[in-house]
Amino acid sequence: MEEDVASGDAVLLLTYGNDFYDLAQTRHGGRSKPWVQDVRGRLLEHQPAIDAFDVLRDRSYLFTLVTRSAARLGRSERTETRLETIGELYRRWVLQETADLLARGALVIIVHHGDAVFELPFQVAEVFARTCPGVSGCLGLDDVLAGHPRDEVFLEDGHWAAGGHRIAATEIAAYLETLPGFGAAAGQPKHPSAPVLGRDDASAAGAL
């Protein structure tokens, strides 16, 4: 919970490439979901609009399979339209939701991977370039994960295997140790400032 986060604590925001698609959708896998909308410069958060389809999906396994299969066939025109501006919406939403944490002295780090897996109408690297200066730091994992055999890093469905989790944990731990103020509440020493590290730099930091 946010109220339990103190100065010196670290909050990690893990962003995968398909999260931009999910942010553009009002339904996911045939189920209504929360979504964010830009209305004349203000970000409004909408709660799920539960309807008969959601009720049936919860009660019928067959209906669940049908709706999930239909969702994989393609994206709606509405989603395609929203996707055009979702990179900027992501930036503003992250900064809005983390402002209080940063004000209380917590560290907010965006950890991202799968940046080039999906075709998007904007450059993911540019989105992070605009977003990262507003948080404590950013760490990309694509290069280091690509340096290991795929079957060591990923399960068949694309999620991390145990090896992928170990690699990510090592990289993240090394990166956190470079951030000034990390663990300050627990009396740990501060470290030299390094707000944004590349993958090779993070690996080198962990080896020191």
Side-chain angles (χ1 to χ4, degrees), residues 133-202:
V135 295
S136 307
C138 284
L139 175 65
L141 296 177
D142 280 340
D143 289 351
V144 68
L145 291 174
H148 295 262
R150 180 174 177 80
D151 58 357
E152 174 190 345
V153 177
F154 298 106
L155 299 172
E156 291 186 5
D157 65 2
H159 289 90
W160 289 343
H165 281 281
R166 283 193 296 269
I167 295 165
T170 300
E171 294 293 311
I172 292 168
Y175 180 66
L176 289 176
E177 288 299 318
T178 70
L179 296 178
F182 174 60
Q188 297 178 9
K190 291 188 176 182
H191 302 274
S193 176
V196 179
L197 282 184
R199 275 62 61 190
D200 293 340
D201 297 327

Side-chain angles (χ1 to χ4, degrees), residues 13 19 22-23 33-37 43-45 86-99 131:
L13 303 180
D19 289 332
D22 293 343
L23 192 56
K33 59 180 281 294
W35 58 286
V36 181
Q37 181 183 26
L43 295 185
L44 299 180
E45 296 186 18
I86 218 65
E88 176 61 14
L89 189 145
Y90 169 88
R91 183 191 71 83
R92 293 176 54 204
W93 190 38
V94 166
L95 299 185
Q96 173 181 289
E97 294 300 307
T98 60
T131 307

Side-chain angles (χ1 to χ4, degrees), residues 25 27-33 57 64 67-69 71-72:
Q25 296 175 326
R27 301 185 72 86
H28 180 72
R31 186 190 298 276
S32 181
K33 59 180 281 294
R57 196 180 187 283
T64 296
T67 54
R68 290 182 64 180
S69 298
R72 295 192 186 100

Side-chain angles (χ1 to χ4, degrees), residues 49-72:
I50 305 300
D51 56 22
F53 285 98
D54 293 282
V55 175
L56 284 172
R57 196 180 187 283
D58 287 340
R59 297 186 178 183
S60 170
Y61 181 68
L62 178 59
F63 190 79
T64 296
L65 292 178
V66 171
T67 54
R68 290 182 64 180
S69 298
R72 295 192 186 100

